[in-house]
Structures are given as structure tokens and as C-alpha cells.
Amino acid sequence: QAPLVESGGGSVETGMSLTLACVGSGYIVRDSCMAWFRQAPGQARAAVAGFTSGAVGPKYADSMKDRFTVSQDIAKSTLYLHLFNVMPADSAMYYCAVDRARNCRYRDWKRITTYDTWGQGTQVTVSS
């Protein structure tokens, strides 16, 4: 079984909301370094939001905080990404990632290389 499994993607219309989930038993644990990234065709994978070890609250990439919310349920080993009022520009493959060594305490949480474990992704397609 894959260490991280994302779900919740699909085809939605502009303005709708949806929630993505990433389940990772043994990977998504208390004080984890974990994050959501997204990648659209022809574009680089970019950080959306996440939690860094030792931080008080979640972190968001610029412009993501107003419509996205990241949350976690450690008892369920699950990381969530809530998308509100989606737009066609949000269409992408969404990936969750975990840094088991908690290097995010010292590294930029938005860098792909900070993470050592990735899910397969879940596709979100937003139509206008």
C-alpha cells in the first residue's frame, strides 16, 4: 500500500467547494512536516499549504490563504485541504507530501526537496 493516499478530487464548476484528503498511517503523525502541493500541466509543482514541525499553526503560500484551508486529523492520520470558491486556475493535480525527518524545521516548507514521501495525487478540474 502506498504510504500516502489522496482522494476527493474531481470535476467541479467555478465557485464550488471541495475537500481533498490524504491518508498516511504512520506518516501523518503529531508534529509532522506535511503539505499540499499542486501541479498544472506544463507548470512546476508548487506549494499550497501545510504544517511544519514546531510551528503554531498552518502555513500557506502567497494568495492561497483566502480560498484554501488546510487541516489535520491526527487520530485518522489524515491531512485535509479545503478548497472554496474554486476557479479554472485551480485545476491541477494535488499532491500531499511528508517530511519524515522533520527537516522543514530548518528548510523552506515550500520546497519540493524538503519532503521525502509523496502521494500519487488527486486531480481537480474546474470548469467555467
Side-chain angles (χ1 to χ4, degrees), residues 27-83:
Y27 288 80
I28 296 177
V29 298
R30 190 169 305 281
D31 205 33
S32 292
C33 293
M34 47 190 172
W36 286 97
F37 285 73
R38 70 181 186 180
Q39 185 170 20
Q43 298 185 19
R45 191 170 298 188
V48 176
F51 293 91
T52 58
S53 178
V56 175
K59 296 184 180 295
Y60 294 89
D62 292 344
S63 78
M64 298 295 182
K65 189 174 185 178
D66 56 343
R67 295 185 300 110
F68 295 173
T69 300
V70 64
S71 65
Q72 57 182 297
D73 187 335
I74 297 304
K76 295 182 179 180
S77 300
T78 303
L79 180 69
Y80 297 99
L81 183 67
H82 311 274
L83 293 72

Side-chain angles (χ1 to χ4, degrees), residues 4 18 21 24 29-30 34 65 69-70 85 87 89-90 99 107 111 113 128:
L4 300 174
L18 72 165
V29 298
R30 190 169 305 281
M34 47 190 172
K65 189 174 185 178
T69 300
V70 64
N85 191 24
M87 304 182 299
D90 297 320
D99 162 28
R107 299 178 183 172
R111 293 180 66 89
T113 53
S128 59

Side-chain angles (χ1 to χ4, degrees), residues 10-16 85-91 124-128:
S11 296
V12 296
E13 296 181 349
T14 296
M16 294 182 67
N85 191 24
V86 296
M87 304 182 299
D90 297 320
S91 297
V124 173
T125 303
V126 183
S127 59
S128 59

